[in-house]
Amino acid sequence: MNFELSEEHRMIRDAAREFAEELKKDVIERDEKALFPTDFVKKMGELGFMGIMTSDQYGGAGMDSLAYVLALEEIAKVDASTAVIMSAHNSLVLWGLEAYGSEEQKQKYLIPLAKGEKLGAFALSEPEAGSDASSQHTIAADMGDHYLLNGTKNWITNGGNADIYLVIAQTHPELGHKGINVLIVEKGTAGFTIGPKENKLGIRSSDTHSLLFTDVIVPKENRIGEDGFGFKFAMMTLDGGRIGIAAQALGIAAGAYDLALAYAKERKTFGKPISTHQAIQFKLADMEVEIEAARLLTHKAAWTKDQGLPYGKEAAMAKLHASEVAMKHTVEAVQIHGGYGYVKEYHVERLMRDAKITQIYEGTSEIQRLVIAREVLR
């Protein structure tokens, strides 16, 4: 068992770390004003991060899942908003298109998405159903040569800035989850309206919108997979998405730890750095241990996926632990900073706000425990 990164993986990590330094200069302003990082998303496309796991045959970088989580961690250390844009695009859109899309769909949609020329969004959540893919009220009525799409999607990452949307919808209600399909819908299609931008607690410079579909005509050739494949598509996509969220949470926690450690060495009380006080040392030790455990779980989940092995449990474990570590230790980072931690200049209050969403999206911590328990009890 080798825990050393390959030279290629180190290069990806270092490139992402260098890019993250560029993100720092305006990150507070983007957070305050909820500004979408358009130029940085374009730069991620140029660096290959927006198609990092997609094969070079379709315009991607052809890297593995481990490279993906290494890059995500470094970006999330500085700006979780930019990290979630990259994550949703790669995990929830490109992976599914490459794995299950037709050759025509790959040529038309996957290539520009993988090159970073276009942005993708995954539309699953609804007002009455978060990540419950089996409970779809959005209807895609089969009209022969096309579907007629009607319904509403909520909490869609990249919702306002995306060009291509993968929409999960019910076609055969009498079949339950076996009657669900996934459709490719382009921005600008008649009847497709983007709702107002959500004013969020954290990840504020990523855009989150509701989507409204009113008699939207979707050609049959825009369905991914066979009729009724949508539920299975969503479940497998969410498993990969959880690895991406684990990497985001890991990055948020690690970024907060780095800031807390540096501050503890610099800040003095009673004539000596606070890092010499045992109470602070215990906090830093716990942060180091739990963040490293989250990193190992996340890397194992990525490795398991890359081996072609079942990875649902590993993804859920990584997501569960990393998100709880992110929330716990961003709070500790604020505590170590004292009053300074409560102001924006020191970044840790933003990381604390960003951490919370990692416990919520792609299924709450309670859902992850259910996924893990089912696998354990099987």
CSV table of all heavy atoms in Angstrom, one decimal, residues 3 70 81 125 151 203 207 284:
chain,number,residue,atom,x,y,z
A,3,PHE,N,1.1,5.4,0.0
A,3,PHE,CA,0.3,6.6,0.2
A,3,PHE,C,1.0,7.8,-0.5
A,3,PHE,O,0.5,8.9,-0.3
A,3,PHE,CB,0.2,6.9,1.7
A,3,PHE,CG,-0.7,5.9,2.4
A,3,PHE,CD1,-0.1,4.8,3.1
A,3,PHE,CD2,-2.0,6.0,2.4
A,3,PHE,CE1,-0.9,3.9,3.7
A,3,PHE,CE2,-2.9,5.1,3.1
A,3,PHE,CZ,-2.3,4.0,3.7
A,70,LEU,N,-7.8,16.0,-5.5
A,70,LEU,CA,-6.7,16.8,-5.1
A,70,LEU,C,-6.8,18.2,-5.6
A,70,LEU,O,-6.5,19.2,-4.8
A,70,LEU,CB,-5.4,16.2,-5.7
A,70,LEU,CG,-4.9,14.9,-5.2
A,70,LEU,CD1,-3.8,14.2,-6.1
A,70,LEU,CD2,-4.3,15.0,-3.8
A,81,SER,N,-16.9,28.4,-3.2
A,81,SER,CA,-17.9,28.7,-4.2
A,81,SER,C,-17.3,28.2,-5.6
A,81,SER,O,-18.1,27.6,-6.4
A,81,SER,CB,-18.2,30.2,-4.3
A,81,SER,OG,-18.8,30.6,-3.1
A,125,SER,N,-33.2,18.2,-7.6
A,125,SER,CA,-34.0,18.6,-6.5
A,125,SER,C,-35.2,19.4,-6.9
A,125,SER,O,-35.2,20.1,-7.8
A,125,SER,CB,-33.1,19.5,-5.5
A,125,SER,OG,-32.0,18.8,-5.0
A,151,GLY,N,-42.6,21.4,-14.9
A,151,GLY,CA,-42.3,21.3,-13.5
A,151,GLY,C,-41.3,22.3,-13.0
A,151,GLY,O,-41.0,23.3,-13.8
A,203,ILE,N,-21.2,29.7,0.4
A,203,ILE,CA,-20.9,29.5,-1.1
A,203,ILE,C,-21.7,30.6,-1.9
A,203,ILE,O,-22.3,30.2,-2.9
A,203,ILE,CB,-21.1,28.1,-1.6
A,203,ILE,CG1,-22.6,27.6,-1.3
A,203,ILE,CG2,-20.1,27.1,-0.9
A,203,ILE,CD1,-22.9,26.3,-2.0
A,207,ASP,N,-23.8,30.3,-8.1
A,207,ASP,CA,-25.2,30.7,-8.3
A,207,ASP,C,-26.1,29.5,-8.1
A,207,ASP,O,-25.9,28.5,-8.6
A,207,ASP,CB,-25.4,31.4,-9.6
A,207,ASP,CG,-25.1,30.5,-10.8
A,207,ASP,OD1,-24.2,29.7,-10.7
A,207,ASP,OD2,-25.9,30.5,-11.8
A,284,LEU,N,-5.5,22.3,17.9
A,284,LEU,CA,-4.8,22.0,16.6
A,284,LEU,C,-4.5,20.6,16.4
A,284,LEU,O,-4.6,20.1,15.2
A,284,LEU,CB,-3.5,22.8,16.7
A,284,LEU,CG,-3.6,24.4,16.7
A,284,LEU,CD1,-2.3,25.0,17.0
A,284,LEU,CD2,-4.2,24.8,15.3
